[in-house]
Amino acid sequence: MASDLLRFDKGTGKLFLKGADGKPQHVVDTETTNKTVFVLVDASGSMAIKKFDDATKGALDFGLGCISKGYEVGVVVFSDDAAASKPTADPETFRSTIDKLKCTSGGTYLGSALSHTVDYKPAYILVVTDGEVADSAQSLAVAEQLKSSRTEILTIGTDDADQDFLKQLASQSGLSVKVARAELAQAIRDTSRLLR
């Protein structure tokens, strides 16, 4: 038996519940029901020192910007292996997590980093890298799984990154940005403005 208590408006993407007075009341904005974001930072050998420092500074500002919009933010660093932090909405906990990140050197393996986020079904993932991913087929497969759960994937690559791969990885080619190395921190910081 169909119920007329809940109504989904396809035009606005909003869910409405019939109130006591019979009028619809907005309940959930479906595009923001999941308030989890991950930032994935390349920690491979080519990122050593300056690029990694810039990436983590940008990731800190990005995360704090997301937290101010009501999101929980987790961080995953990746090279040969990936290490993930649990998402948090506490600015000091997030700052402490960023302060502990280390550039581990090694290769650029993104697939396991993306896999760390799957169970969270995050609203957004931001991938930051400067290189060519060694496991591109696996990474794209995990990315497709994430996209099918409505995760928006955004990518930022420095001028030596594999831009064709990053455009495939992103939810839309317009969500993949190529930046000069000197602009990396600013580009990461500015990306938080794209989040609804």
Side-chain angles (χ1 to χ4, degrees):
M1 180 174 162
S3 168
D4 65 350
L5 293 176
L6 286 174
R7 181 176 64 81
F8 178 72
D9 185 329
K10 290 181 182 177
T12 63
K14 294 180 179 178
L15 187 63
F16 292 87
L17 177 68
K18 186 187 287 185
D21 59 359
K23 294 180 180 175
Q25 297 176 345
H26 177 237
V27 178
V28 179
D29 192 342
T30 56
E31 64 189 21
T32 58
T33 53
N34 188 328
K35 300 295 274 185
T36 305
V37 175
F38 277 92
V39 57
L40 279 54
V41 179
D42 185 346
S44 64
S46 59
M47 288 287 287
I49 319 278
K50 180 71 174 129
K51 277 194 273 190
F52 188 76
D53 286 348
D54 287 348
T56 55
K57 284 176 190 167
L60 173 62
D61 292 335
F62 169 81
L64 293 176
C66 293
I67 288 169
S68 73
K69 292 182 173 188
Y71 289 92
E72 289 188 329
V73 185
V75 182
V76 185
V77 290
F78 63 96
S79 56
D80 289 337
D81 296 309
S85 74
K86 185 176 177 184
T88 181
D90 178 61
E92 289 312 310
T93 301
F94 184 74
R95 187 182 300 275
S96 175
T97 299
I98 293 289
D99 288 345
K100 293 175 187 169
L101 297 181
K102 301 277 187 242
C103 191
T104 58
S105 71
T108 308
Y109 291 85
L110 178 60
S112 62
L114 289 166
S115 294
H116 277 290
T117 71
V118 169
D119 289 343
Y120 291 94
K121 296 182 178 169
Y124 298 94
I125 293 174
L126 173 61
V127 176
V128 179
T129 184
D130 75 334
E132 294 196 13
V133 172
D135 58 347
S136 57
Q138 179 190 352
S139 299
L140 290 172
V142 179
E144 286 307 313
Q145 183 181 354
L146 285 158
K147 291 174 196 175
S148 71
S149 66
R150 301 186 66 197
T151 297
E152 291 276 358
I153 300 177
L154 306 93
T155 67
I156 296 177
T158 57
D159 39 22
D160 42 356
D162 182 346
Q163 298 303 321
D164 290 336
F165 167 77
L166 291 178
K167 283 182 181 176
Q168 289 179 64
L169 188 71
S171 298
Q172 306 167 34
S173 61
L175 296 177
S176 180
V177 179
K178 174 182 176 180
V179 298
R181 189 167 107 178
E183 298 169 352
L184 183 59
Q186 185 66 46
I188 298 167
R189 181 180 306 121
D190 288 350
T191 303
S192 67
R193 295 179 188 168
L194 296 175
L195 277 60
R196 295 183 282 274

